[in-house]
Amino acid sequence: MTLILFSYFAAVIVATAIGVIASRKPVNSALALLVMFFHVAGLFVLLDAEFIAAVQIIVYAGAILVLYLFVVMLLNVRAEEGYHRQFVVGLVVGLAILIEAVLILSRSGFADRFPPTVSLAPSAAAIQGNTEAIGRALYTTYLFPFEVASLILLVAMIGAIILAKKGIFGKEERRK
Amino acid sequence: MIEMAQYLIVVLVTIGIVMVTVLLHVAYLTYFERKILGWMQDRMGPMEVGYHGLLQPIADGLKLFFKEDIVPAQANKVIFTLAPILVLVPALIGFAVIPFGRDTIQIFGLTFRPYVTDINIGILYILAFASIGAYGVLLGGWASNNKYSLLGGLRSAAQVISYELSLGLSIVGVLLLAGSLSLVKITEAQGGGMFHWFIIPQFVAFVIYLISAIAETNRLPFDLPEAESELVAGFFTEYSGMRFAFFFLAEYANMILVSCIATILFLGGWHAPFEALSFIPPILWFVGKVYLFLFFYIWIRGTLPRLRYDQLMMFGWKVMIPLALANILVTSVVLYFVKG
């Protein structure tokens, strides 16, 4: 049963991911991406990580993709514009990522690199609930990476505010 | 095999009962709203169909069902068809985790529970699907290929994203107190009379939730996406017949859904306010509290004028979100010292 569901989710993820980059209309790409996010959430549910599945939908499908669609609709991008110019760059980046993926997969010791205490094994997660498991892992084992990530987000936030408010800051200085 | 079949029967029957009940309440909520608005404006409301207009929702439904289905010539047909479904399904799917009552019922040796399922991320599940509802509105507005529809859709997306934040943050205080995301466990944490309900320690969160919920469901005074006086009918200007009805049903189903969540999170779900009153079945308490919120919604609609668009965004980002964050901070600090 799990295998059938996994194959279904994986197949749809691959198909819609191709749809995202192959479609010529930006809105269709965004819709394909939406379907893909849902199926990725499905994979998380299969792994007994319901919390991450819900967060995946809330953050990616519910917030980020809506903003993408927003921009696409506001700018009214034409089908041919903006795409397919960065073919060479895309090829180089794509090759690099492909080589990395192959390298990671070829070192088959991937699974046992994770310390057993933090892996969300179904039994442990089912006993204490996977929300608690994630909270505990984030605030004990992974406290430092967590703090670094929040610092980076804070910097990005300040950067966005400064970029957006350029005109306002300029005016205030002139007034002084 | 027999166990599997029994399980399937129980689940399917529960889903069927919940769906039919919700859709009936949705239909009669329109009647309820028209009657109350009528009385508030010193009119009678619907009176013609049936006794005091009681059959009006059914007549309306039949009328919409037989209306001609028009798709604008320049519209994107696939997305135009998809949009109403994308609005209605998330609105109905949230009811799967709402616990309507306490007692299980035994019929023919099968045990029926008063909820479809109790998953350990209940409230997140509802928030996740609520955020999908914005797509239907946004895409419906875009696919209609009409300026007013597009403006309505864009407004709606901006509004829903902004108010989703304060809605989510207002819930965090309750989650800290209950120590669970499951709606059944949150309800159980508020047992023992109305002084244990979370509305008392979380009053600020309650007010923030109520306001953001009105904005989330695009109701007056936050119905900018469909402001008649400036956008004709906003994102569903081009919709007719059953597709229009889908948007309408989704709006009312969403109203009921956010009222159910407010009941569970802040008013103790199916718990009676006093021990002496617990002879009334829990499910009636639940329905009564939900209708209290629905009446409040309609009351607000009959009282307040619509906000201007920039006021709405300003209010969401500069008042609601800082207040919700402050509430989380205070709640967690107090909890840390009380519980140790």
Side-chain angles (χ1 to χ4, degrees):
Chain A
M1 190 67 186
T2 316
L3 190 69
I4 300 170
L5 284 174
F6 175 78
S7 325
Y8 163 72
F9 285 131
V12 175
I13 287 171
V14 172
T16 48
I18 291 172
V20 173
I21 48 172
S23 168
R24 294 218 150 215
K25 287 181 187 162
V27 172
N28 290 6
S29 293
L31 277 183
L33 199 60
L34 175 66
V35 177
M36 197 198 80
F37 283 148
F38 261 91
H39 286 79
V40 172
L43 278 188
F44 282 129
V45 171
L46 278 188
L47 291 169
D48 284 308
E50 292 98 352
F51 180 78
I52 300 185
V55 169
Q56 154 94 14
I57 292 183
I58 293 175
V59 172
Y60 284 97
I64 293 178
L65 195 58
V66 174
L67 283 179
Y68 277 0
L69 261 183
F70 203 90
V71 173
V72 164
M73 286 175 185
L74 266 184
L75 296 182
N76 210 359
V77 186
R78 299 254 165 69
E80 281 78 27
E81 273 174 30
Y83 285 144
H84 315 297
R85 273 193 207 154
Q86 55 287 67
F87 185 74
V88 184
V89 185
L91 205 66
V92 174
V93 174
L95 263 181
I97 292 175
L98 190 70
I99 292 169
E100 277 174 17
V102 170
L103 272 179
I104 290 173
L105 286 178
S106 63
R107 296 154 124 198
S108 54
F110 190 46
D112 35 70
R113 280 173 160 246
F114 289 95
T117 43
V118 288
S119 76
L120 292 175
S123 55
I127 291 165
Q128 50 170 185
N130 63 68
T131 314
E132 286 91 330
I134 287 169
R136 208 151 278 150
L138 263 189
Y139 285 99
T140 55
T141 325
Y142 292 110
L143 185 62
F144 185 64
F146 178 72
E147 301 263 319
V148 171
S150 33
L151 203 67
I152 292 171
L153 282 176
L154 183 68
V155 170
M157 225 158 86
I158 295 172
I161 291 171
I162 287 177
L163 281 179
K165 293 233 159 179
K166 229 175 206 165
I168 297 174
F169 286 134
K171 258 181 227 159
E172 275 172 7
E173 271 162 26
R174 241 174 279 142
R175 228 177 279 151
K176 278 170 199 165
Chain B
M1 198 62 213
I2 292 174
E3 269 176 22
M4 185 78 186
Q6 278 183 340
Y7 176 76
L8 264 183
I9 290 172
V10 169
V11 168
L12 289 178
V13 169
T14 321
I15 293 175
I17 293 173
V18 168
M19 277 299 108
V20 171
T21 320
V22 166
L23 285 176
L24 267 179
H25 278 276
V26 165
Y28 272 89
L29 185 58
T30 61
Y31 173 77
F32 192 59
E33 175 163 31
R34 290 172 70 178
K35 272 290 184 198
I36 292 177
L37 277 182
W39 290 330
M40 280 180 179
Q41 294 159 1
D42 206 11
R43 301 182 278 120
M44 296 296 275
M47 286 297 280
E48 294 296 327
V49 193
Y51 177 72
H52 277 257
L54 266 177
L55 295 176
Q56 186 69 42
I58 295 165
D60 283 344
L62 283 176
K63 183 195 79 176
L64 282 171
F65 198 72
F66 288 113
K67 280 263 178 173
E68 186 187 353
D69 183 35
I70 302 166
V71 181
Q74 292 291 307
N76 183 328
K77 288 203 180 53
V78 180
I79 298 180
F80 189 80
T81 317
L82 193 70
I85 302 168
L86 259 180
V87 174
L88 185 61
V89 170
L92 292 179
I93 221 169
F95 287 98
V97 291
I98 302 280
F100 296 99
R102 178 189 57 198
D103 310 310
T104 53
I105 306 160
Q106 299 272 350
I107 302 170
F108 304 123
L110 301 174
T111 313
F112 290 95
R113 295 172 306 177
Y115 45 84
V116 176
T117 176
D118 172 29
I119 52 180
N120 55 12
I121 50 155
I123 189 75
L124 280 184
Y125 166 89
I126 293 181
L127 284 182
F129 279 104
S131 61
I132 299 306
Y135 281 97
V137 174
L138 189 55
L139 289 173
W142 179 79
S144 308
N145 202 12
N146 171 327
K147 286 190 193 75
Y148 298 116
S149 301
L150 182 63
L151 279 175
L154 289 176
R155 276 185 180 188
S156 160
Q159 177 176 333
V160 169
I161 293 174
S162 315
Y163 279 83
E164 219 169 53
L165 282 173
S166 45
L167 189 86
L169 290 174
S170 70
I171 288 171
V172 173
V174 172
L175 300 182
L176 286 171
L177 288 177
S180 174
L181 292 170
S182 146
L183 291 174
V184 175
K185 289 211 181 94
I186 292 174
T187 312
E188 279 164 359
Q190 301 175 69
M194 62 183 290
F195 297 108
H196 294 272
W197 292 355
F198 288 153
I199 183 174
I200 295 171
Q202 288 293 315
F203 190 73
V204 179
F206 176 69
V207 175
I208 295 172
Y209 177 89
L210 271 188
I211 297 174
S212 331
I214 297 174
E216 275 281 294
T217 45
N218 295 335
R219 297 274 307 173
L220 261 168
F222 300 124
D223 66 338
L224 278 305
E226 45 190 273
E228 300 94 345
S229 43
E230 33 186 315
L231 291 181
V232 191
F235 57 89
F236 55 66
T237 305
E238 297 290 349
Y239 281 90
S240 58
M242 217 45 210
R243 290 194 184 130
F244 167 77
F246 272 24
F247 278 118
F248 217 70
L249 285 178
E251 182 181 328
Y252 285 89
N254 268 325
M255 272 170 79
I256 298 183
L257 186 64
V258 292
S259 304
C260 285
I261 300 170
T263 305
I264 292 165
L265 293 182
F266 298 103
L267 289 191
W270 33 258
H271 286 294
F274 300 106
E275 274 306 307
L277 286 172
S278 53
F279 63 91
I280 300 172
I283 199 153
L284 285 186
W285 278 117
F286 189 86
V287 173
K289 287 171 188 171
V290 169
Y291 269 88
L292 199 70
F293 280 112
L294 291 175
F295 175 75
F296 178 74
Y297 263 104
I298 297 165
W299 187 15
I300 291 274
R301 178 181 170 177
T303 314
L304 293 176
R306 180 181 302 131
L307 266 78
R308 215 174 56 212
Y309 191 64
D310 55 327
Q311 291 171 333
L312 171 93
M313 296 306 267
M314 196 87 96
F315 184 64
W317 287 96
K318 295 194 174 166
V319 179
M320 303 283 281
I321 293 176
L323 259 182
L325 283 172
N327 177 58
I328 293 175
L329 191 69
V330 171
T331 312
S332 33
V333 167
V334 169
L335 264 185
Y336 180 78
F337 285 112
V338 170
K339 283 193 178 170

